Amino acid sequence: MPPTRFAAVHWGRTPLLSRASSLGGQGFHDLLSPDDVDELLSRRGLRTPFLRVAKDGQVVPAGRYTGGGGAGAEIGDQVLDERVLSLYADGATLVLQGLHRIWPPLLDFANELGTQLGQPLQVNAYLTPAGNQGFATHYDTHDVFVLQVDGRKHWRVHEPVVRDPLERQPWGGHADEVAAVADGPPAIDAVLSPGDALYLPRGWLHSASAEGVRSLHLTVGVRALTRYSIVEALLALAAGEPALRGGLPFGLDVADADQIAPELTETVKALRDWLDTASPAAVADLLRARAWPAARPAPIRPLRQAAAIDALDLDTRVAPRPGLRWQLMPEGADRVSLRVFDRTLSLPGQCAIAVRALLSGGVSRVGDLPGLDTEDRLVLARRLLRESILIPA
């Protein structure tokens, strides 16, 4: 399906089931395989919260499968493989969380997908023993792509009880409604086989159980910002308006609707007047400060980076750090600010053209940087490498 059609028809609206045959039939073992799961659980020194365990719809306390790692690794929350085996053999589902931060193929995949979507995302893996179900019917407060890696899993999907729920509106607050809808006919009742994929917008109810063999699937969660995020930004900015900071009248009974009514009218008027002056740039700054740190760029290699800094010359070729979001803004008369996901750099104004050329991919050789002399080209490239904004090409 073309991305434009997916965005127009399904994104944030309706589920989409895609069979392996329509996706090229290659499957998802290159992202994570059962052998990879064994590697993670036994030889990588995982700690909580990178593993969560569920049994009969309930989360198992972490103390039942974590402990010290022996001499030189006495940290008390490391995953213990023999305890994981015991729980899994007894029917528990294993949830490997945050794999976009620790497993290289998924780290690269999540970085590429997150850049294309322009949204922060996370990747978890769910390993369910044959004939078992990890979680009862529920909904997520973010969109998800389910990628069936191994085995078969039976999915039942129902219409939402809360449309487009916010993170502060988890399904537990609507447990009775969820249970009632789950008893009705599903919108999707299908078994996912290796290579199949399922997209679920936030709020859609779902449950899944493994068929006659174990099941391993990946869940890619997309944590999109909402219009309510803009409301929250406006609320933060509204604190700067004196008319909205005024106290309520002395002696007002806040439980009396009749006494509150005229104050509400005045407050709404003051808010409306202030909203007409709200700055889109100020709102964008708050949203950037919230969204950019949630989507880290691709990792760098510190030793390689340090070696590149030491060996830098005019023939060195550099590239923007993949997945890096940036914004170049004027700062006074002769400075510019380079904003990235976790900080802001102040640079001389004459560097602006060269920085933009580097980060837009228009120039890769240090000696070709426009608008600067030889020494300044080296100084700028060295600074951007040290700040992990550029990497060796």
Side-chain angles (χ1 to χ4, degrees):
M1 177 176 295
T4 51
R5 176 168 171 75
F6 172 78
V9 176
H10 293 284
W11 180 251
R13 296 178 178 86
T14 60
L16 174 63
L17 174 61
S18 303
R19 294 300 185 183
S21 58
S22 70
L23 301 176
Q26 300 301 310
F28 306 112
H29 273 69
D30 57 329
L31 297 179
L32 186 77
S33 69
D35 286 344
D36 296 335
V37 171
D38 266 345
E39 171 78 12
L40 282 163
L41 292 173
S42 62
R43 294 163 58 90
R44 294 301 180 108
L46 280 191
R47 300 174 61 189
T48 55
F50 286 108
L51 178 67
R52 186 164 51 118
V53 179
K55 180 74 165 33
D56 298 327
Q58 302 294 321
V59 175
V60 176
R64 290 184 57 188
Y65 55 87
T66 60
E74 292 87 354
I75 300 166
D77 64 347
Q78 294 193 73
V79 171
L80 302 180
D81 41 16
E82 63 275 4
R83 295 188 187 178
V84 171
L85 168 62
S86 178
L87 289 166
Y88 178 72
D90 197 34
T93 288
L94 309 181
V95 185
L96 289 160
Q97 303 188 129
L99 291 178
H100 60 292
R101 294 294 303 142
I102 60 174
W103 190 245
L106 287 171
L107 196 154
D108 295 339
F109 173 74
N111 184 264
E112 288 187 34
L113 180 60
T115 299
Q116 292 185 28
L117 293 178
Q119 307 281 2
L121 53 83
Q122 64 190 54
V123 183
N124 296 343
Y126 293 77
L127 184 66
T128 305
N132 283 271
Q133 177 176 324
F135 297 93
T137 300
H138 64 285
Y139 65 73
D140 294 313
T141 58
H142 51 267
D143 295 56
V144 298
F145 293 92
V146 176
L147 312 179
Q148 187 68 28
V149 176
D150 191 63
R152 292 158 56 86
K153 204 155 197 180
H154 188 180
W155 285 78
R156 295 176 180 85
V157 178
H158 293 80
E159 294 271 351
V161 297
V162 178
R163 288 277 176 183
D164 297 326
L166 303 172
E167 290 191 6
R168 63 178 63 183
Q169 297 172 313
W171 74 274
H174 303 271
D176 291 341
E177 297 168 79
V178 168
V181 172
D183 284 338
I188 293 178
D189 189 342
V191 174
L192 266 63
S193 298
D196 293 343
L198 175 65
Y199 165 70
L200 295 175
R202 58 193 166 107
W204 281 74
L205 307 183
H206 55 276
S207 64
S209 56
E211 293 284 278
V213 294
R214 73 179 182 205
S215 166
L216 172 62
H217 77 263
L218 293 166
T219 295
V220 181
V222 184
R223 308 175 73 89
L225 293 179
T226 67
R227 285 200 172 120
Y228 191 74
S229 303
I230 296 180
V231 173
E232 290 176 318
L234 287 169
L235 182 61
L237 293 171
E241 171 55 40
L244 294 170
R245 297 201 306 266
L248 296 175
F250 181 80
L252 179 76
D253 183 358
V254 295
D256 187 334
D258 290 336
Q259 293 188 45
I260 284 293
E263 296 303 320
L264 177 60
T265 299
E266 288 299 315
T267 301
V268 169
K269 180 181 182 303
L271 179 60
R272 186 181 293 115
D273 291 342
W274 175 81
L275 286 172
D276 288 337
T277 69
S279 165
V283 171
D285 280 347
L286 289 178
L287 293 178
R288 174 184 56 80
R290 175 175 174 179
W292 283 16
R296 289 185 58 86
I300 57 137
R301 300 176 181 271
L303 299 185
R304 184 183 179 198
Q305 196 88 353
I309 294 170
D310 291 340
L312 186 76
D313 60 28
L314 293 177
D315 287 325
T316 300
R317 294 191 176 274
V318 293
R321 183 177 179 181
L324 181 76
R325 296 184 181 185
W326 58 276
Q327 190 176 45
L328 197 61
M329 303 289 290
E331 179 190 330
D334 58 355
R335 306 286 295 179
V336 291
S337 293
L338 177 59
R339 297 171 174 175
V340 292
F341 71 104
D342 63 344
R343 61 199 182 282
T344 298
L345 278 65
S346 179
L347 299 168
Q350 66 264 30
C351 293
I353 296 176
V355 170
R356 196 174 298 278
L358 281 168
L359 295 184
S360 63
V363 171
S364 64
R365 182 177 172 273
V366 173
D368 294 334
L369 290 179
L372 300 174
D373 62 27
T374 296
E375 186 59 31
D376 285 344
R377 288 168 180 161
L378 293 169
V379 169
L380 176 63
R382 191 174 291 113
R383 171 89 187 274
L384 296 181
L385 282 166
R386 185 179 296 276
E387 296 283 357
S388 301
I389 291 169
L390 296 178
I391 61 171

